[in-house]
């Protein structure tokens, strides 16, 4: 064995050799005897003696030992004999969304836990709206790939081996559309998304949630949600009650659920956005209005024994972060900051926006004395983007936790040790599938052409006006060809999930190269009666597009089935299937038109209009699949 742990419990030895096995896939580990000591200070220290082949890691949490192992890899490679890190935050948490169709397999979660340990994460929040079991509630998580209690217990115990606290993150008010769609839930439904506040049935149901969760996790913590409850008190509630202001409803519901948590000895956390809103005397719009005027008297009545999680995924001005934190401290004694890793709303991760927002956010947290932070990974609109894409940004959060100042070069070096060598730059570069020339640098407004140009209907061409305008000054085909060739052809033979993930983006670039301008070329050939061109589009280009989409779909399915449970893939399978059929229909229509059996193609007679206005033709953000694909009822 290249590395040997001196001392340690059997559980620690088990976790240690699991990490060694992970590291040996990518690194040469020089024979070393390693010891770990716990010290109650804010430092993580690694000393390495290459003469005696001994190393000592000191920290004050178990997970610091595993981060130290990753640092030792770098020290042995570079010849450094001592490394000291000043720990900036007490908690570094990661949130995994397992509610937007993609429920990760236990084995994949275990891989994430190993990586989290090497990065130094202290907490793993598992976001499960309805993807866990509740006794006698067969429709709760039905056909959604829900975790069994046994699976959650296995994940929880595995994380504990590395000193990582698994924390359940559920919903007890809104974001419950997948639960409330069943008729068995009608008596506790305010609207399709929101539980009925004040209903006895609602609180009986919430108690069942809490008791099921308590049986599955060691942690006393539970995140009870309460964010984005826009419909509270505005649906079925009005059938039996007079209109009641949002503050009164949110406050009463919060108090009730918090008391339920106390009774079963659980410590709640809550998203703070709606509390922030209800306390604002001005009732300003936006998630966290900077100029909010927090009602001092109402703020004083908020529960003090809970953690308020201030989430902010789009801000890049430090002064605005600072003011929002000042406002939070008027009602919250314990604050956690949650930033966003932008792997949602497109097929391509928006690493530009993640980088643009995380640095000012985390530097402000350090300045303001916030001691708990979280990196969130959401999967809005069906989790088209795999969670593996979050890894480079997760590394940034980790390095900010253990260092006062962070550079990208340093993050890339750490990524090579914790995740995989020579992949950081390529994974970050996937952003350019959306951040095409003409889109603002770092893509703050989340332009997502890779999504709408992939899924848009070839005959309806709802985004063709944008492509036509773009092509007047730039070359979209050349851009996507450049991206395609930038990914190594060696990816085609690799079985590593991260290489397979990059192969997916090579395939996506191929589709966009042949499909992105297809609609405007088709219109031009049709309008000008260019029959040779129409023949070429039908018999040459469309088969190329179909083959490219099939390759993309097959790669995507492999990634999904390797990473997630099969439930949820049917949504993406239908998207790919619908696109493939429409491509075939387009070919049939062109052939029928060319044969003379049809004298016009009505879809091509319609003038193409802009879908949205943007600063540049492809700078628009359209995250919803159905909006992209359909022009009518669906």
């Amino acid at each position: 064995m290249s590395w040997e742990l001196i001392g340690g419990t059997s559980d620690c030895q088990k976790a240690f050799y699991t990490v060694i096995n992970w590291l040996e896939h990518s690194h040469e580990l020089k024979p070393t005897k390693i010891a770990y000591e716990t010290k109650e200070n804010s430092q993580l220290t690694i000393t390495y003696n290459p003469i005696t082949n001994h190393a000592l890691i000191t920290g004050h949490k178990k997970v610091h030992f595993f981060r130290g192992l990753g640092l030792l890899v770098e020290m042995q490679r570079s010849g450094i004999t001592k490394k000291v890190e000043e720990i900036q935050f007490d908690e570094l948490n990661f949130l995994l969304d397992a509610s937007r169709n993609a429920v990760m397999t236990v084995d994949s979660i275990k891989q994430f836990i190993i990586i989290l340990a090497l990065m130094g994460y202290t907490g793993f929040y598992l976001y499960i709206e309805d993807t866990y079991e509740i006794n006698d509630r067969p429709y709760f998580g039905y056909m959604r790939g829900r975790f069994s209690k046994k699976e959650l217990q296995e994940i929880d115990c595995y994380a504990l081996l590395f000193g990582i606290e698994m924390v359940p993150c559920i919903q007890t008010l809104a974001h419950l559309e997948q639960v409330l769609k069943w008729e068995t839930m009608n008596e506790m439904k305010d609207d399709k998304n929101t539980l009925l506040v004040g209903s006895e049935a609602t609180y009986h149901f919430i108690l069942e949630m809490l008791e099921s969760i308590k049986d599955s996790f060691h942690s006393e913590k539970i995140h009870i949600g309460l964010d984005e409850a826009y419909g509270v008190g505005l649906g079925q509630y009005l059938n039996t009650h007079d209109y009641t202001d949002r503050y009164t409803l949110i406050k009463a519901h919060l108090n009730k659920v918090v008391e339920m948590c106390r009774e079963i000895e659980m410590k709640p956390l809550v998203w703070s956005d709606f509390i922030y809103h209800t306390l604002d005397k001005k009732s300003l719009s936006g998630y966290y209005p900077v100029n909010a005027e927090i009602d001092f008297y109402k703020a004083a009545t908020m529960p003090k024994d809970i953690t308020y999680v201030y989430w902010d995924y789009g801000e890049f001005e430090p002064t605005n972060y600072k003011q929002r934190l000042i406002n939070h401290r008027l009602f919250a004694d314990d604050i956690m900051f949650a930033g966003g890793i932008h792997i949602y709303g497109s097929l391509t991760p928006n690493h530009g926006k993640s980088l643009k927002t995380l640095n000012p956010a985390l530097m402000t947290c350090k300045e303001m004395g916030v001691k708990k932070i979280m990196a969130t990974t959401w999967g809005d609109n069906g989790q088209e983007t795999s969670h593996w894409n979050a890894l480079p940004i997760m590394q940034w959060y980790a390095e900010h936790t253990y260092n006062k100042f962070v550079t990208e070069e340093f993050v890339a070096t750490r990524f090579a040790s914790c995740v995989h060598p020579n992949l950081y730059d390529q994974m970050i570069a996937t952003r350019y599938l959306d951040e095409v020339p003409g889109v603002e640098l770092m893509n703050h407004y989340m332009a997502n052409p890779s999504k709408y140009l992939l899924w848009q209907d070839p005959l309806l061409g709802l985004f063709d006006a944008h492509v036509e305008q773009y092509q007047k000054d730039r070359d979209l085909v050349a851009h996507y060809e450049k991206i395609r060739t930038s990914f190594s052809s060696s990816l085609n033979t690799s079985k590593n999930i991260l290489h397979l993930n990059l192969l997916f983006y090579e395939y996506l670039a191929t589709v966009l190269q042949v499909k992105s301008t297809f609609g405007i070329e088709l219109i031009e050939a049709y309008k000008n009666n260019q029959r040779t061109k129409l023949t070429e589009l039908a018999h040459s280009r469309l088969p190329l597009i179909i083959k490219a989409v099939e390759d993309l779909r097959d790669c995507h399915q492999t990634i999904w089935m390797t990473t997630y449970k099969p439930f949820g893939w049917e949504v993406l399978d239908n998207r790919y299937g619908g696109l493939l059929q429409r491509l075939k229909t387009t070919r049939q229509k062109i052939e029928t038109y060319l044969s003379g059996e049809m004298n016009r193609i009505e879809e091509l007679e319609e003038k193409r209009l802009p879908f949205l206005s943007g600063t540049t033709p492809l700078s628009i953000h359209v995250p919803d699949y159905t909006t992209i694909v359909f022009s009518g009822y669906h």
Side-chain angles (χ1 to χ4, degrees):
M1 177 61 66
S2 54
W3 283 0
E4 179 184 347
L5 176 60
I6 302 172
T9 64
S10 59
D11 281 351
C12 191
Q13 290 276 352
K14 179 180 178 181
F16 173 75
Y17 288 113
T18 299
V19 169
I20 301 309
N21 183 60
W22 173 273
L23 291 172
E24 284 183 328
H25 285 299
S26 305
H27 305 283
E28 180 182 352
L29 307 181
K30 298 176 182 179
T32 308
K33 293 182 182 295
I34 304 170
Y36 177 70
E37 291 182 1
T38 301
K39 289 190 176 180
E40 292 299 325
N41 58 32
S42 60
Q43 290 184 332
L44 169 59
T45 303
I46 307 96
T47 56
Y48 169 58
N49 188 326
I51 298 174
T52 63
N53 293 322
H54 279 72
L56 174 64
I57 300 171
T58 64
H60 67 273
K61 291 188 177 181
K62 186 176 181 179
V63 76
H64 294 159
F65 170 59
F66 297 100
R67 178 175 171 85
L69 295 178
L71 290 165
L72 183 58
V73 171
E74 298 164 28
M75 292 169 67
Q76 289 189 335
R77 186 169 58 240
S78 61
I80 296 173
T81 58
K82 187 170 183 178
K83 174 77 174 176
V84 179
E85 294 189 320
E86 296 289 341
I87 302 171
Q88 307 293 305
F89 300 110
D90 295 337
E91 289 187 15
L92 169 62
N93 300 296
F94 170 70
L95 182 145
L96 178 77
D97 182 353
S99 296
R100 301 304 197 282
N101 295 351
V103 177
M104 198 174 280
T105 65
V106 171
D107 286 343
S108 291
I109 289 178
K110 287 180 177 180
Q111 289 184 60
F112 258 84
I113 288 171
I114 294 169
I115 295 171
L116 290 170
L118 284 165
M119 290 182 177
Y121 277 77
T122 62
F124 188 154
Y125 282 65
L126 192 60
Y127 182 77
I128 41 178
E129 291 172 357
D130 67 323
T131 47
Y132 58 100
E133 287 183 323
I134 297 180
N135 292 338
D136 301 321
R137 294 277 182 185
Y139 283 96
F140 188 81
Y142 176 59
M143 290 294 181
R144 294 260 291 135
R146 62 192 167 205
F147 291 107
S148 67
K149 287 185 180 180
K150 183 178 179 180
E151 286 176 320
L152 290 177
Q153 290 163 355
E154 181 180 351
I155 294 165
D156 181 63
C157 290
Y158 192 80
L160 282 176
L161 292 175
F162 301 88
I164 296 174
E165 182 180 20
M166 288 293 305
V167 180
C169 189
I170 67 171
Q171 289 289 355
T172 59
L173 183 56
H175 283 297
L176 289 170
E177 185 172 359
Q178 297 304 319
V179 178
L180 296 175
K181 67 186 179 185
W182 302 109
E183 65 177 350
T184 58
M185 303 297 293
N186 283 348
E187 65 176 330
M188 62 192 78
K189 180 168 69 174
D190 195 350
D191 65 13
K192 67 177 185 178
N193 186 61
T194 315
L195 288 172
L196 183 61
V197 171
S199 163
E200 182 178 338
T202 293
Y203 296 109
H204 179 72
F205 174 53
I206 292 174
L207 181 59
E208 290 178 332
M209 290 181 179
L210 298 177
E211 290 177 340
S212 177
I213 289 296
K214 186 174 176 63
D215 290 342
S216 303
F217 293 85
H218 280 87
S219 176
E220 294 179 344
K221 296 176 185 174
I222 182 170
H223 198 312
I224 59 173
L226 270 70
D227 59 310
E228 298 182 312
Y230 298 105
V232 65
L234 298 176
Q236 186 170 293
Y237 183 88
L238 294 175
N239 292 337
T240 53
H241 301 80
D242 293 334
Y243 170 78
T244 307
D245 68 274
R246 189 178 282 170
Y247 166 77
T248 301
L249 292 175
I250 293 288
K251 181 65 163 51
H253 186 73
L254 175 64
N255 286 344
K256 178 69 174 176
V257 178
V258 168
E259 182 57 34
M260 293 167 70
C261 290
R262 292 181 186 131
E263 288 175 0
I264 61 171
E265 299 181 332
M266 298 194 80
K267 298 177 180 178
L269 301 88
V270 60
W271 302 113
S272 67
D273 56 314
F274 257 60
I275 294 166
Y276 189 100
H277 271 287
T278 61
L279 298 178
D280 178 16
K281 292 181 179 180
K282 299 179 181 177
S283 299
L284 298 174
S285 61
Y287 286 113
Y288 289 98
V290 175
N291 298 322
E293 184 181 345
I294 301 299
D295 187 310
F296 178 80
Y297 295 103
K298 288 182 178 178
T301 69
M302 302 306 296
K304 302 303 180 189
D305 59 342
I306 67 176
T307 301
Y308 293 85
V309 185
Y310 158 40
W311 59 271
D312 199 330
Y313 310 148
E315 183 59 69
F316 55 89
E317 291 292 345
T319 54
N320 290 341
Y321 282 117
K322 185 174 182 178
Q323 184 58 54
R324 291 180 182 124
L325 285 169
I326 290 171
N327 288 343
H328 270 77
R329 283 180 171 155
L330 296 175
F331 63 87
D333 289 346
D334 189 22
I335 302 170
M336 180 186 294
F337 172 78
I341 299 179
H342 289 266
I343 62 167
Y344 52 89
S346 186
L347 279 89
T348 301
N350 187 349
H351 290 320
K353 183 166 186 176
S354 296
L355 292 172
K356 187 175 182 179
T357 55
L358 74 85
N359 283 299
L362 299 184
M363 292 303 290
T364 303
C365 285
K366 293 173 188 179
E367 177 189 348
M368 297 288 289
V370 174
K371 290 300 182 181
K372 300 175 182 180
I373 63 170
M374 175 189 288
T376 66
T377 56
W378 301 106
D380 301 32
N381 203 227
Q383 197 73 60
E384 291 175 328
T385 307
S386 168
H387 283 96
W388 299 110
N389 289 288
L391 291 171
I393 308 302
M394 289 163 58
Q395 192 80 61
W396 274 90
Y397 277 81
E399 301 323 307
H400 265 290
T401 298
Y402 293 90
N403 300 274
K404 189 171 184 179
F405 301 103
V406 180
T407 66
E408 185 161 35
E409 181 181 8
F410 179 63
V411 172
T413 299
R414 297 257 47 243
F415 188 83
S417 298
C418 297
V419 184
H420 199 285
N422 308 315
L423 283 185
Y424 176 84
D425 289 341
Q426 283 184 299
M427 291 189 75
I428 288 291
T430 57
R431 64 192 255 209
Y432 296 112
L433 284 156
D434 278 336
E435 200 176 315
V436 300
V439 169
E440 64 162 349
L441 184 65
M442 309 301 274
N443 197 11
H444 180 74
Y445 296 104
M446 301 190 294
N448 62 329
S450 70
K451 178 164 182 167
Y452 54 75
L453 295 181
L454 168 67
W455 296 130
Q456 80 155 332
D457 188 282
L459 283 173
L460 301 181
L462 297 181
F463 298 86
D464 281 346
H466 293 268
V467 176
E468 182 179 22
Q469 185 64 34
Y470 187 90
Q471 289 295 98
K472 291 179 180 178
D473 302 309
R474 296 179 175 89
D475 189 341
L476 200 54
V477 174
H479 173 73
Y480 285 125
E481 182 179 15
K482 181 180 178 181
I483 290 179
R484 179 183 61 79
T485 57
S486 70
F487 291 111
S488 171
S489 60
S490 65
L491 298 179
N492 291 289
T493 58
S494 175
K495 294 182 180 179
N496 181 286
I497 187 65
L498 298 180
H499 285 89
L500 190 63
N501 186 65
L502 287 173
L503 179 61
F504 170 81
Y505 289 106
E506 181 180 332
Y507 283 144
L508 179 56
T510 300
V511 174
L512 296 172
Q513 181 184 343
V514 294
K515 181 178 183 288
S516 58
T517 61
F518 173 83
I520 62 172
E521 293 178 56
L522 178 61
I523 285 280
E524 181 181 9
Y526 176 77
K527 293 292 187 182
N528 296 318
N529 197 28
Q530 297 172 338
R531 301 181 71 82
T532 301
K533 178 65 174 178
L534 287 172
T535 300
E536 186 273 329
L537 290 173
H539 296 159
S540 180
R541 178 75 77 82
L542 276 170
L544 281 177
I545 297 174
I546 290 169
K547 175 62 166 60
V549 171
E550 289 174 338
D551 289 342
L552 179 68
R553 180 258 173 211
D554 292 347
C555 182
H556 201 166
Q557 183 186 42
T558 301
I559 293 169
W560 185 286
M561 296 303 173
T562 302
T563 306
Y564 306 112
K565 296 185 179 186
F567 301 95
W569 173 252
E570 74 280 358
V571 173
L572 298 183
D573 221 4
N574 274 281
R575 292 180 188 181
Y576 282 112
L579 174 58
L580 287 166
Q581 184 55 53
R582 288 298 289 171
L583 289 166
K584 293 173 184 177
T585 297
T586 301
R587 183 175 59 190
Q588 292 167 354
K589 284 211 168 191
I590 296 172
E591 290 172 344
T592 303
Y593 173 74
L594 289 172
S595 71
E597 297 176 53
M598 181 170 63
N599 61 11
R600 65 205 302 257
I601 302 176
E602 292 200 36
E603 295 95 330
L604 304 184
E605 296 286 337
E606 289 273 357
K607 181 181 178 181
R608 273 24 182 181
L609 302 175
F611 193 92
L612 289 171
S613 59
T615 54
T616 57
L618 296 182
S619 65
I620 61 174
H621 172 61
V622 190
D624 181 65
Y625 166 81
T626 57
T627 304
I628 290 168
V629 174
F630 303 112
S631 60
Y633 288 106
H634 48 81

